[in-house]
Amino acid sequence: MERGWIVEAVVGKACSVSVVMCGTVMLTAVSTLSVTPLLAVAVRATVELLLCVVAGSYNLTHPQKHIANHWKLLLMRSTLGAGAVCLNFTSSTLVPLGKLGVLMLTQPIYTMLTSLAILRVLPSLSEAACCVLAIVGSFLIMQPPFVFGESESLGKGELIGSVILLTAMILFASSITFLRRLGGFGVPWTVVNGCHATMMLVGSVGGMLVQGELPMRVCGSADRESLSVVAVAGFLHHYCLFKAMKHENPTFLAIIMTSQVLLLSISEVVLTGKLPSYNTYQMIGTALSVASVAILLSLRIKQQADNQKIKPPPQIVVQVPEEINPSSES
């Protein structure tokens, strides 16, 4: 029993770290593409779908039973998740990786907001204050021109990319809510990832057809290498995320995800040879975003510690043997 608990803890923490590493490698590879990022989504979806089919056949998984029983949850998770991936890949080609990581740092805030909208879970006053800090911080980092003026705002592409990224985080946070419910129902990862990959493939190919871009024939060797990295890292990222949500505490996963800011900043330095540049407003916004997430995570840790303290001890029931009635024996 104790050995199983240790194995589960090791698996959960290893998957949480792998989520961060694979996500960083994946976004870094997407940022180097010279073709539409929807092609990266299509390649990732194709590889992920094939691997899910092979793994499902090996494990004798019967997807039709799970799809029939939980098709609504699978449809919502797949649609929201596919939209988040398409928008996230698009934003990574418009926003520098360092700023991308800072904006992605506020993901727990949007997860809490979507829980409020979907599960009707009301935040406390402190959690609401963290939401306000994160939104103000994101606003200062984006610097919309209707407030800061053209001279102080970001470039048009970078501003659009920031808005696309915030939309992707809201969709991703919503999909996580449905992913937790699917894990609770015992739906295999092959079914969850396979449905998600199918929806990504449909959305990305449809998007490229609408844009009139099917650039597979004109991909250079560098783009092919980046697409291969995206395919492998994307599959591992989604697989490890599903396992981490199943075996690990969400608070620990959120804490580990904060390290992606540093990793993406290092990736930007390696690719461009320059340190990320921030003006005064962006530095204040970054500080507010980091502070909001740090306060929120500390509140969650304190809440979990308090819940463990007030947890009642197990009751021990002692069965007392009934007295023997001498008259009944006779």
Side-chain angles (χ1 to χ4, degrees):
M1 186 70 178
E2 183 179 356
R3 182 180 179 182
W5 178 84
I6 295 176
V7 171
E8 184 175 1
V10 172
V11 170
K13 288 175 173 51
C15 288
S16 300
V17 175
S18 300
V19 167
V20 177
M21 300 301 296
C22 293
T24 302
V25 172
M26 178 179 62
L27 292 177
T28 303
V30 172
S31 67
T32 62
L33 290 174
S34 61
V35 295
T36 173
L38 292 178
L39 180 61
V41 179
V43 172
R44 171 190 167 178
T46 302
V47 173
E48 187 170 340
L49 182 58
L50 292 176
L51 290 175
C52 288
V53 171
V54 173
S57 302
Y58 179 77
N59 295 329
L60 299 178
T61 302
H62 301 286
Q64 62 274 9
K65 178 183 68 174
H66 298 284
I67 294 175
N69 294 335
H70 308 289
W71 68 270
K72 291 183 180 180
L73 289 176
L74 286 169
L75 179 62
M76 292 298 296
R77 187 275 179 276
S78 302
T79 304
L80 294 171
V85 172
C86 292
L87 295 178
N88 195 8
F89 279 21
T90 302
S91 65
S92 63
T93 61
L94 300 173
V95 182
L97 291 175
K99 295 174 184 176
L100 188 79
V102 175
L103 291 173
M104 290 178 62
L105 177 66
T106 58
Q107 181 66 60
I109 302 296
Y110 296 97
T111 303
M112 185 174 60
L113 292 177
T114 54
S115 298
L116 170 63
I118 298 175
L119 304 178
R120 299 293 190 271
V121 179
L122 293 176
S124 63
L125 184 60
S126 301
E127 291 174 340
C130 291
C131 291
V132 174
L133 285 178
I135 294 173
V136 172
S138 301
F139 189 80
L140 291 176
I141 293 174
M142 293 168 55
Q143 297 183 25
F146 60 85
V147 175
F148 295 90
E150 294 292 341
S151 59
E152 294 291 338
S153 63
L154 303 179
K156 184 178 179 180
E158 192 172 334
L159 177 60
I160 294 175
S162 300
V163 175
I164 291 175
L165 177 61
L166 293 180
T167 306
M169 288 195 296
I170 294 174
L171 295 179
F172 179 75
S174 302
S175 69
I176 287 295
T177 303
F178 293 103
L179 182 62
R180 289 174 180 171
R181 296 187 63 182
L182 288 170
F185 286 123
V187 181
W189 69 269
T190 52
V191 176
V192 177
N193 288 25
C195 293
H196 181 254
T198 302
M199 194 62 69
M200 281 196 301
L201 185 60
V202 171
S204 58
V205 173
M208 285 189 290
L209 288 175
V210 171
Q211 295 177 355
E213 297 184 7
L214 287 174
M216 183 62 74
R217 295 181 181 178
V218 296
C219 284
S221 58
D223 285 332
R224 292 194 184 97
E225 292 176 0
S226 297
L227 290 172
S228 301
V229 173
V230 169
V232 176
F235 170 76
L236 293 176
H237 177 267
H238 198 193
Y239 172 78
C240 293
L241 178 63
F242 181 80
K243 291 296 183 180
M245 295 297 296
K246 185 176 180 180
H247 296 287
E248 189 51 69
N249 190 317
T251 303
F252 177 81
L253 178 59
I255 294 174
I256 292 296
M257 290 289 288
T258 58
S259 62
Q260 198 167 26
V261 179
L262 178 61
L263 295 177
L264 287 174
S265 299
I266 294 175
S267 299
E268 182 180 354
V269 173
V270 172
L271 292 176
T272 63
K274 300 178 182 178
L275 293 175
S277 59
Y278 299 94
N279 58 30
T280 304
Y281 291 114
Q282 291 172 339
M283 292 178 64
I284 296 175
T286 302
L288 290 178
S289 300
V290 173
S292 64
V293 175
I295 295 172
L296 177 63
L297 294 178
S298 62
L299 290 174
R300 293 290 173 84
I301 294 174
K302 182 178 181 300
Q303 183 180 7
Q304 291 178 359
D306 293 339
N307 292 336
Q308 292 179 355
K309 288 180 180 179
I310 63 177
K311 189 175 181 180
Q315 297 181 356
I316 301 176
V317 180
V318 180
Q319 296 183 353
V320 180
E322 298 181 358
E323 295 182 359
I324 302 176
N325 191 352
S327 58
S328 62
E329 291 184 351
S330 60

